[in-house]
Amino acid sequence: MKRIRKAGKEEIQPLFRRFRIVFHFCAVLPFLIFTCSLFCAQPVLIGSKKFTESYVLGEIAKRTLNEAGIPAEHRQGMGGTIILWEALRGGQIDIYLEYTGTIAQEILKTERQLSVQEIRDALTKTGVGMTEPLGFNNTYALVMRRNEAQRLGIRTIGDLRKHPELKIGLTHEFLDRRDGWRPLRQRYSLPQLNIIGIDHALGYAALANGSIDVKDAYSTDAKIAENDLVSLVDDFDFFPKYDAVFLFRTSLRDDAIAGLHGLAGTLDEARMIRLNAEAERTKNYTTAANLYFQNAVGSTVTTGESFWQKLARWTLRHLELAGFSLLLSVMTGIPLGIVASRGGATGNMILGFAGVMQTVPSLALLALLVPLPFFGISVRTAITALFLYGLLPIVRNTASGLQDIPRSLRESAIALGLAPAARLWRIYLPMASRSILSGIKTSAVINIGTATLAALIGAGGYGEPILSGLNLNDHVTILEGAIPAALLALVVQWSFDLLDRILIPKGLRL
Amino acid sequence: MKRIRKAGKEEIQPLFRRFRIVFHFCAVLPFLIFTCSLFCAQPVLIGSKKFTESYVLGEIAKRTLNEAGIPAEHRQGMGGTIILWEALRGGQIDIYLEYTGTIAQEILKTERQLSVQEIRDALTKTGVGMTEPLGFNNTYALVMRRNEAQRLGIRTIGDLRKHPELKIGLTHEFLDRRDGWRPLRQRYSLPQLNIIGIDHALGYAALANGSIDVKDAYSTDAKIAENDLVSLVDDFDFFPKYDAVFLFRTSLRDDAIAGLHGLAGTLDEARMIRLNAEAERTKNYTTAANLYFQNAVGSTVTTGESFWQKLARWTLRHLELAGFSLLLSVMTGIPLGIVASRGGATGNMILGFAGVMQTVPSLALLALLVPLPFFGISVRTAITALFLYGLLPIVRNTASGLQDIPRSLRESAIALGLAPAARLWRIYLPMASRSILSGIKTSAVINIGTATLAALIGAGGYGEPILSGLNLNDHVTILEGAIPAALLALVVQWSFDLLDRILIPKGLRL
Amino acid sequence: MNALVQLVAVTKRYADAPALHPTNLSIERGKTTVLIGPSGCGKSTLLRIIIRLIAPDSGTIDFDGSQITAANIDILRHRIGYVIQEGGLFPHLTARANILLMARHLEKSDEEMRTRLSELCELTRFPENLLARYPLELSGGQRQRVSLMRALMLSPELLLLDEPLGALDPLVRASLQKDLKEIFARLRQTTLLVTHDLAEAAYFGDEIVLMNEGRVVQQGSIIDLRERPANPFVSEFINAQRSLAVL
Amino acid sequence: MNALVQLVAVTKRYADAPALHPTNLSIERGKTTVLIGPSGCGKSTLLRIIIRLIAPDSGTIDFDGSQITAANIDILRHRIGYVIQEGGLFPHLTARANILLMARHLEKSDEEMRTRLSELCELTRFPENLLARYPLELSGGQRQRVSLMRALMLSPELLLLDEPLGALDPLVRASLQKDLKEIFARLRQTTLLVTHDLAEAAYFGDEIVLMNEGRVVQQGSIIDLRERPANPFVSEFINAQRSLAVL
Ligand SMILES: Nc1ncnc2c1ncn2[C@@H]1O[C@H](COP(=O)(O)OP(=O)(O)OP(=O)(O)O)[C@@H](O)[C@H]1O
Ligand SMILES: Nc1ncnc2c1ncn2[C@@H]1O[C@H](COP(=O)(O)OP(=O)(O)OP(=O)(O)O)[C@@H](O)[C@H]1O
Ligand SMILES: [Mg+2]
Ligand SMILES: [Mg+2]
């Protein structure tokens, strides 16, 4: 082998080596996949529920860990309580923010008010740890216009008794709940009769224009600050406690746990309201989270991730997704295409399989992969799906390229006595290179397009802005993802065109 | 030309003709698109709101028109009142079912009770016609268990006055409405105090187990029959009239309008309740609609669409979507590929464009096309999107196939003095046929896969069951669409393999 | 003017080396001009320039009095028959389709094509039953004859033949040479023939052009070349051929 | 036994016609056997069967005493050099890479390859500076010489040459013939040569095999063929060649 390598100034060598490289990859494929899954599993994964406060606290936890030198990722808005809890139990995430009241009722399924210690003891049995409360209680509250409350001298819920004329607008949920309006009215003997059910968002408008005077709200709702409202003190402690805490897997690395504990007691309602307001104003959770650090540490003023930083992050992730899956497609597709080029039943089966993969709608494919044990909600799943989508063009073009080699040249190669493998390496594959590369290019572009769907399972990339844009019906945000994706496709095409010059032998381009 | 055709026993002729055919298509492309848009616009489009009764009446209207020889299509569950009304005004649908009360309040925005004639006059000004009432009034009603009502001798709402002990459970909406509980109680001076707000569906359960005795309901709710309830007569005519009528565009063809008018007065509450019950029992709106015709005409017993009929319908539509878009891709892609094969700036631009199209995520592409004037929510949009997706593999493979033709043969063709067009037809394209067909196959399979997304904009096909399966989280339903799509892909691949034998000249397969 | 084709100061160089030094050449109407010379001396290049598969770097080429340009070449090509050295048969067409390609394109009558085809098959001793085969199903000599028939099909004014008989056995070759020469004489066919066989050159050549390293070394009848060689290379070349005739 | 290759009752038919009737042939060690015959008589087919590009329908072929089968053919091919009629050069490799392909594959030393390459270039009169060109950048005769060099590179035991000199000019051809004959004699090279040139056949052929329509018609020295023709076809074929020598 050494000798051959020395003879490298001849043109056959580079060619040979180029293709050899690709196939060496083939051999290390299992190793690569393993590395990837290690790599993908390594950062601490923080989940959040689908509402502002949960997002913001997720970002705070992420930055706290990052500042402690612990790589962490934040999977935003994964779902509701049960989904997050199961994800935590199943190890798909390591940390998420929860409220003590919710833990007691929905997770531990008890009617009693539990103390923090009781909750912690119960959770520990299931392998989940809990921090001390962060400092704010996000429960129901009754709110009023600040000036009105001052004018009437109302500070507590009990004070409402003196003003039976006040119009009260309540959400249907609050009207219905076991810990809602009816028992509250009883507990405080409230005299108001003028009660209407009203949508939560509309309620704020009604409150502002005076159609109603009192409404229910979450105690840390950003709207309280925005609309200059005041929440009435629950002097009988009627509402259950919903203290915010972080839940984490007890198997989490110690330094990460320590970091989380450090957050306990650092956020009161007023501050949380401000952070929520900031998040809703800027539509940027990172900015809001940074506000926390700014005030807490008095340290450098870091603004939230700028557009360019986000773009860089999306691009890297997108490249990672599309690139890695393309690599897999190439390494699998070319050998399959070689087999398929021989025709026959096996060939038809291979082309059939690759075709069927291409047919399964991306949504359905993701839906089918996610429940499987190895996959789940992970980058692995996204890469696997993309890999399957990228297969067909490569397999088919490899096959048709090989079949298009003139018979006289195929026979020359045979007559020379070249071993079948050498024939493939040195003659057939280089001669089919144009067709194969054309398949790879198609596949690359398809992968870049489909990778935008990876955001559906939280794998990131340009799909992130596209999806939130679609949700918010905000065209600018869609374009923030769509334009870079299109540009990336162009860049990839052009770089492949350069690759053409290297990989398609000069003798074929005369 | 005649002479050439006579010489058809020679093998060059069929070849020539085969390719000629494709290119003749090219010439008539604009015409085809025009025909298609005519064709796509031609059937009468019936819309329905997102609830059972609206679905069933949509089906009834469709079958009525079909039996009169008028092609009609039913777009199920498009949304709420405003969406349907705007779609009717904008011409995206021609017909939908509405209720007089809703028209008065939500469309004409009046507080008064309007007569049918008043409503019709108001609508005519906006270019919308209205049938006479179909015969049933779907308004609020109070319902009780039939045996209880008989036992207590309660037949009308007024009779409730004699039984203040009855527990009343009402939906929050009914509690809230201006024409709901509060004014009703006043109007009838009802004495009951035991009023609870309860979810509509839960309310039926509560009624069945005796937790409540009276609840509110829509007067044609299938549950009334199912739970053996009776609705109390509104003896004071308190509830506004919600007579069902069909609204239609006055520009609709006369025979269709006549068909709709024929439906007036043919459906009373009892019958509508039965149809609704049938629809909810069988989960099949067509079956329910057929029940209407069965009783009305006493004609042949047609059961609802069986699975196989649905499958046939999906398959046809899917083939139509994928096939037509493939045709467009082929007709556009091959010429573009020919230009691209010459390289240079134009070639790069073409490949770049086709690549970018491939990158735009399907969801985003649909989202961007729908607002455009020519497209909207239509089959056209789906076909256009699919066409764009199918372009790249064809363009690229045409280009690389042409570039792979040996120079000596290209020069022979030139030296013969064949005109450039003839060179292409008779020499280059046939010689590149394997590569081109391989591109077309890839494109066909991609189209079949992506066509499942067409269901997102109501264009039908296998996406229909896949999407409802995804919504209902019902794997069986997903598979009802996914398996046929995969099979179709296989069948298409295999038929293309047969086509290979016809289109790839025998001389190239030696 | 009696020249059908007139090359004036035509040059051509490929990337790394000149293939044709300034060359003048006139191809007389009604005569057979034979181009001979060592391998790689530029014979094929000259033919390819005349039919403009490659453009000359400088110089002009006139055909029938008017200059050949990119604009008029496509029509002129119909008046020229060209047999490429490698055959250049289209693999996706049968032998018949290859031969009739241009005739069909120009919408000749069936009758005419059939007659001409039989004529040609007889001339080249090509079995008519092989006409339905694809190039890959023919032997080397058979393919060469198909190429020749394709070039002759339209009775072109100018025939450019690049070693058209190289792969033929002596039997076919001898009779084909005889027939071709007869036909060329009868039809007063203008022909430019490349061969490496001096006997063939002598047999056909009214005028022989000997090239070497991209230059025309001597032009004249075989007698001229044999008896009045312009330089030692000419005699060397002629004698080499002679020494082959061992028989 | 002195035969390197021994064909016994070998037959082959293509879809529509027999290409080889039962044929026996032995190729003697150290000798040059020449195969001649009209175009399409089955010469190339015979060579392709020996190197098993196509399998015979019936009959056996022995190489060096053992029967050629699908299993051992790949190794045997290393001992055989084959020049295909059309050249068969790989377009993506330069002339040098084409020639060295197998030597590299078998990991010959650089030194050895370099020496052999110069030897071959000299033998075939091929300018070394053209070695870096791609096949499409070479003239017809140059390509043929590259093919020949590729076949000779590994000094194979058996050489199968399918019209290797067809496109060469008389100068190169005469000296190449002379050199090849000398080398063949010196190395006692076993060769099977297909040619359509009877003079060449006579020059090389220790043994001449005349084929017609898929059958061996006569086998022997040129004198045998000339003076004791087995049937009228033999004399006709020989005389045709003679009549070509007009010079
Ligand atoms: N595309 C090319 N690039 C570089 N050099 C070339 C190219 N084509 C031909 N040549 C060189 O130009 C010279 C003349 O080539 P040409 O084909 O005209 O020779 P020829 O006289 O026809 O030879 P032969 O008798 O061997 O066919 C040769 O040396 C050849 O190597
Ligand atoms: N693949 C094929 N299918 C059908 N017939 C074939 C095929 N290949 C060759 N033939 C026929 O078989 C016969 C022998 O062909 P072969 O190539 O052996 O001839 P040859 O003696 O080498 O002729 P030449 O001197 O012209 O090269 C010819 O008539 C040819 O047409
Ligand atoms: Mg030449
Ligand atoms: Mg042959």
Side-chain angles (χ1 to χ4, degrees), chain B residues 87-315:
Chain B
L88 185 71
R89 292 270 307 267
Q92 272 141 34
I93 56 173
D94 299 310
I95 297 171
Y96 84 98
L97 181 94
E98 195 46 281
Y99 302 93
T100 49
T102 312
I103 300 174
Q105 285 175 42
E106 296 193 36
I107 296 175
L108 303 178
K109 306 220 191 289
T110 168
E111 303 279 318
R112 287 195 308 119
Q113 287 252 32
L114 299 179
S115 73
V116 168
Q117 193 51 47
E118 282 172 317
I119 293 175
R120 176 172 297 123
D121 291 346
L123 290 180
T124 310
K125 293 191 202 117
T126 64
V128 171
M130 183 175 102
T131 62
E132 286 297 311
L134 300 186
F136 67 89
N137 174 14
N138 184 358
T139 184
Y140 278 106
L142 295 185
V143 296
M144 291 184 70
R145 289 184 295 281
R146 179 183 300 279
N147 53 6
E148 174 99 343
Q150 279 169 355
R151 199 172 54 79
L152 301 176
I154 300 177
R155 213 183 47 81
T156 68
I157 299 178
D159 293 344
L160 288 175
R161 271 187 301 246
K162 294 172 285 172
H163 297 279
E165 78 286 0
L166 290 176
K167 286 159 286 171
I168 302 185
L170 302 173
T171 59
H172 300 296
E173 192 195 354
F174 188 69
L175 274 170
D176 249 15
R177 285 180 72 96
R178 276 178 308 182
D179 52 359
W181 175 244
R182 250 172 284 266
L184 179 76
R185 176 160 63 174
Q186 247 173 15
R187 182 82 178 74
Y188 280 95
S189 321
L190 295 180
Q192 283 81 6
L193 288 172
N194 209 338
I195 312 287
I196 61 168
I198 190 164
D199 172 80
H200 184 62
L202 291 178
Y204 281 112
L207 200 54
N209 70 18
S211 314
I212 58 174
D213 303 306
V214 179
K215 89 179 256 15
D216 58 321
Y218 291 109
S219 55
T220 57
D221 192 329
K223 291 278 177 4
I224 296 176
E226 273 168 39
N227 292 324
D228 199 23
L229 306 177
V230 59
S231 46
L232 305 183
V233 175
D234 178 17
D235 36 5
F236 290 177
D237 273 336
F238 169 80
F239 291 119
K241 284 281 189 189
Y242 283 83
D243 285 317
V245 293
F246 277 110
L247 298 187
F248 52 85
R249 293 166 62 77
T250 41
S251 59
L252 187 63
R253 35 195 295 192
D254 287 342
D255 50 355
I257 295 180
L260 289 179
H261 280 308
L263 291 170
T266 63
L267 259 172
D268 58 16
E269 271 101 11
R271 218 158 138 214
M272 193 64 233
I273 290 175
R274 238 183 309 128
L275 297 187
N276 284 340
E278 178 72 5
E280 294 189 359
R281 191 178 61 77
T282 61
K283 310 220 175 294
N284 187 321
Y285 307 122
T286 321
T287 318
N290 286 340
L291 206 63
Y292 167 85
F293 291 93
Q294 209 169 307
N295 295 10
V297 200
S299 72
T300 52
V301 182
T302 39
T303 60
E305 221 185 4
S306 74
F307 170 69
W308 298 108
Q309 283 169 316
K310 277 190 290 181
L311 188 64
R313 181 165 55 81
W314 294 331
T315 307

Side-chain angles (χ1 to χ4, degrees), chain C residues 40 43-45 85 162-163 194, chain D residues 139-141:
Chain C
K43 305 183 294 293
S44 298
T45 303
Q85 201 166 358
D162 200 347
E163 311 206 12
V194 173
Chain D
S139 80

Side-chain angles (χ1 to χ4, degrees), chain A residues 10-81:
Chain A
E10 308 298 338
E11 43 291 291
I12 184 180
Q13 283 318 116
L15 236 187
F16 181 57
R17 232 185 292 132
R18 275 177 240 143
F19 280 84
R20 199 27 83 89
I21 283 167
V22 175
F23 272 65
H24 277 169
F25 265 119
C26 247
V28 299
L29 179 57
F31 173 74
L32 269 175
I33 292 184
F34 180 69
T35 315
C36 160
S37 48
L38 272 187
F39 168 77
C40 298
Q42 220 174 14
V44 173
L45 294 178
I46 302 161
S48 60
K49 297 194 197 177
K50 264 202 175 90
F51 59 87
T52 306
E53 186 167 291
S54 193
Y55 284 140
V56 172
L57 285 161
E59 284 296 305
I60 290 177
K62 177 181 157 194
R63 182 160 161 199
T64 304
L65 295 184
N66 284 346
E67 291 193 346
I70 305 162
E73 247 180 51
H74 178 194
R75 300 257 170 91
Q76 301 186 345
M78 291 172 65
T81 303

Side-chain angles (χ1 to χ4, degrees), chain D residues 32 123-125 148 152 159 161 164-165 173-186 189 191 193 203-204:
Chain D
T32 300
L123 171 70
T124 58
R125 274 77 183 158
L148 190 62
L152 292 173
L159 257 182
L161 304 178
L165 310 178
R173 189 170 182 157
S175 46
L176 189 52
Q177 280 177 355
K178 201 160 130 278
D179 290 358
L180 279 179
K181 188 173 163 119
E182 239 175 69
I183 295 172
F184 289 175
R186 175 151 45 87
Q189 171 75 53
T191 308
L193 174 81
Y203 184 67
F204 276 110

Side-chain angles (χ1 to χ4, degrees), chain B residues 1 3-4 7 10-13 409 411-418 420 422 426-427 430-431 505-507, chain C residues 48 51 53 74 77-78 82 84 88-92 94 96 101-102 104-105 107-110 134 136-137:
Chain B
M1 273 312 265
R3 246 184 291 121
I4 288 213
E10 309 297 339
E11 42 290 290
I12 185 183
Q13 283 318 118
L409 296 178
E411 291 190 346
S412 288
I414 296 170
L416 275 173
L418 276 177
R426 302 191 167 194
I427 311 295
M431 285 195 67
K506 178 160 171 277
Chain C
R48 285 154 56 81
I51 199 156
L53 286 177
D74 253 337
R77 280 182 184 135
H78 293 186
Y82 173 60
I84 190 176
L89 294 182
F90 300 118
H92 64 291
T94 59
R96 173 183 282 112
L101 187 59
M102 277 311 290
R104 289 234 177 85
H105 185 56
E107 309 195 359
K108 301 283 180 206
S109 81
D110 271 11
Y134 289 96
L136 278 174
E137 296 171 330

Side-chain angles (χ1 to χ4, degrees), chain C residues 150-239:
Chain C
R150 189 169 71 178
L152 292 172
M153 184 68 200
L154 291 181
S155 319
E157 282 170 64
L158 173 65
L159 256 183
L160 301 175
L161 303 178
D162 200 347
E163 311 206 12
L165 309 178
L168 291 184
D169 65 276
L171 217 60
V172 172
R173 188 165 184 163
S175 45
L176 189 52
Q177 280 177 354
K178 199 159 132 278
D179 290 358
L180 279 179
K181 186 173 163 119
E182 240 174 68
I183 295 173
F184 289 174
R186 175 152 45 88
L187 299 178
R188 298 188 48 72
Q189 171 77 54
T190 315
T191 308
L192 182 60
L193 173 82
V194 173
T195 180
H196 54 268
D197 183 347
L198 202 58
E200 196 165 279
Y203 184 68
F204 277 109
D206 302 316
E207 188 85 356
I208 293 179
V209 179
L210 178 61
M211 290 184 68
N212 191 25
E213 295 183 351
R215 282 199 176 77
V216 173
V217 179
Q218 187 167 6
Q219 175 161 9
S221 71
I222 182 73
I223 318 280
D224 288 345
L225 264 67
R226 193 143 18 114
E227 290 171 9
R228 285 176 291 282
N231 63 27
F233 169 78
V234 178
S235 7
E236 194 191 339
F237 193 82
I238 303 253
N239 291 331

